[in-house]
Amino acid sequence: MLALRWGQEREKGGPILSQTLLQVQNLKKYFPVRGGILNRTRNLIKAVDDVTFSIAEGETLGLVGESGCGKSTAGRVVLRLLPATSGSVLFRGREILALEGEELRRARQGFQMIFQDPYASLDPRMTVREIVGEPLRAYGIRGASEREARVVEILDAVGLDASYLRRYPFEFSGGQRQRIGIARTLILRPSLIVADEPVSALDVSVQAQVINLLMEMRARFGLTYLFIAHDLSVVRHISDRVAVMYLGRIVETGRKDDFFERPLHPYAHALLASVPEPDPFRARTRFTLSGDVPSPLDPPRGCAFHPRCPKSTKDCEERIPALKEIDEGHSVACHLYV
Ligand code: SF4
């Protein structure tokens, strides 16, 4: 099941031959809405609806979309933090949706998550030594001196001093807390990181530092990222490829340069139009999004984007467009491309 393909050219080292690390196929996550005296399922919220993508070893896929589009839920289902409704998630060719108990626990060493909120994700009663070292204890590394050495090593890697070991989260800034969270995520040496809006809760002044740290860690430890964000400037900086989600589905996916230079889907045009353009003389799409993402409880028929789309036709109101490859590695789900 492992597919070989050429990976992205890195700043250092040139092109690399890479393997698919993560293959997500037809993934669905439906939340039942219950009601009535018998508490029966009355409706389904289709938070993730038939999502397919892959990430090569060492690659970063930016998963973008407005709040409520299902991107964070998709990330959590991939890591088994939420149960899937159906579909397949192959990690190094192994079906992780089928794993249970001790097998799942062992497999989890290979894939970890960086959370959005560096304030809520750290236990305020634990010291930095306990927070960062806790996964080592959980995975059976018993020697206190070995644990401490590994904690000091990873703190150093993320730019934190060993003198912080006995301090508590409240003694740190938001950026430092996110560094502690990243150290905890990396201590088990995972290969896949799902980073869920890792900088959106931080001051703009420290966002770039944390993004640069994530890129440095990727190069140093050979990491692969599923990078979930709504900020396209951040995604452009860190990603090799981009996938756009709208109401539970992927509507466009492609290499970063193709996506930012030649976006296809009208929703992608609208997202890009909302990013500040530093060059005032550069022509750009002026289409901006109006209204909110429709409720996934009652999604529009046909193309879910049609109530907000300036190019919608009768056909769009009736048929769901399939994701089709238009150029090499660049796919879109829109009836404009036949
Ligand atoms: Fe717009 Fe129709 Fe394309 Fe949907 S399928 S994005 S409504 S043009």
Side-chain angles (χ1 to χ4, degrees):
M1 204 59 204
L2 285 178
L4 287 175
R5 70 178 193 75
W6 285 99
Q8 306 301 311
E9 192 162 333
R10 293 246 170 268
E11 295 89 331
K12 296 176 194 167
I16 50 165
L17 186 65
S18 53
Q19 291 183 324
T20 299
L21 180 74
L22 181 75
Q23 175 75 54
V24 175
Q25 199 80 37
N26 305 115
L27 190 66
K28 294 182 182 177
K29 176 61 188 175
Y30 295 171
F31 293 98
V33 180
R34 299 182 193 279
I37 298 169
L38 298 175
N39 201 28
R40 288 207 173 113
T41 300
R42 297 194 149 184
N43 208 339
L44 291 170
I45 295 177
K46 297 181 177 179
V48 178
D49 197 12
D50 210 11
V51 160
T52 295
F53 63 86
S54 63
I55 314 181
E57 189 120 36
E59 190 179 44
T60 296
L61 175 68
L63 188 57
V64 303
E66 291 166 285
S67 166
C69 70
K71 54 192 190 307
S72 292
T73 303
R76 282 174 160 72
V77 175
V78 164
L79 293 192
R80 291 286 307 268
L81 299 177
L82 285 171
T85 301
S86 64
S88 166
V89 177
L90 297 177
F91 176 69
R92 295 196 185 286
R94 190 178 189 202
E95 181 54 77
I96 59 172
L97 295 187
L99 299 180
E100 295 297 341
E102 184 60 18
E103 265 198 318
L104 175 59
R105 204 179 75 83
R106 289 276 153 212
R108 278 210 164 110
Q109 290 180 75
F111 43 87
Q112 297 282 320
M113 188 153 196
I114 296 172
F115 294 93
Q116 175 180 3
D117 189 343
Y119 295 89
S121 62
L122 304 180
D123 189 332
R125 298 160 301 180
M126 293 169 80
T127 62
V128 170
R129 176 194 278 125
E130 291 165 335
I131 290 169
V132 179
E134 196 270 333
L136 294 175
R137 187 193 295 272
Y139 279 91
I141 295 170
R142 296 181 198 285
S145 57
E146 185 187 344
R147 280 204 306 270
E148 178 120 343
R150 286 180 61 173
V151 170
V152 169
E153 184 189 8
I154 201 70
L155 285 180
D156 180 57
V158 300
L160 294 174
D161 197 86
S163 64
Y164 294 161
L165 280 173
R166 290 188 191 154
R167 295 199 192 170
Y168 289 86
F170 75 86
E171 299 178 69
F172 296 94
S173 68
Q176 286 173 318
R177 287 184 202 209
Q178 196 55 300
R179 285 174 191 267
I180 296 167
I182 292 169
R184 182 182 57 186
T185 301
L186 297 182
I187 192 107
L188 292 172
R189 297 284 167 85
S191 16
L192 173 70
I193 304 284
V194 174
D196 186 8
E197 302 269 13
V199 296
S200 61
L202 301 176
D203 286 348
V204 174
S205 57
V206 294
Q207 285 186 0
Q209 292 171 21
V210 173
I211 291 295
N212 289 338
L213 174 68
L214 289 172
M215 292 171 75
E216 194 187 318
M217 295 297 101
R218 178 176 68 185
R220 182 164 174 177
F221 297 115
L223 300 172
T224 300
Y225 290 136
L226 175 59
F227 190 90
I228 298 167
H230 67 276
D231 184 337
L232 284 174
S233 324
V234 170
V235 168
R236 185 171 202 164
H237 193 61
I238 195 169
S239 302
D240 299 306
R241 284 190 301 124
V242 178
V244 182
M245 270 188 91
Y246 188 77
L247 221 57
R249 290 172 178 263
I250 289 182
V251 296
E252 181 164 347
T253 178
R255 285 187 284 265
K256 173 176 72 175
D257 290 346
D258 293 338
F259 173 75
F260 281 97
E261 297 304 323
R262 292 177 297 283
L264 299 174
H265 199 280
Y267 180 55
H269 279 272
L271 288 180
L272 287 166
S274 64
V275 178
E277 171 57 68
D279 180 355
F281 299 106
R282 187 170 168 163
R284 60 181 304 160
T285 311
R286 282 287 160 213
F287 163 46
T288 49
L289 276 173
S290 58
D292 296 323
V293 180
S295 166
L297 245 184
D298 186 22
R301 275 166 54 89
C303 172
F305 189 58
H306 85 255
R308 305 169 82 191
C309 181
K311 299 188 174 175
S312 174
T313 65
K314 195 78 194 145
D315 197 22
C316 304
E317 295 172 24
E318 284 156 14
R319 285 195 305 125
I320 298 175
L323 195 65
K324 276 184 277 187
E325 190 170 57
I326 304 300
D327 290 318
E328 195 198 339
H330 197 173
S331 301
V332 66
C334 174
H335 294 312
L336 293 176
Y337 303 88
V338 286

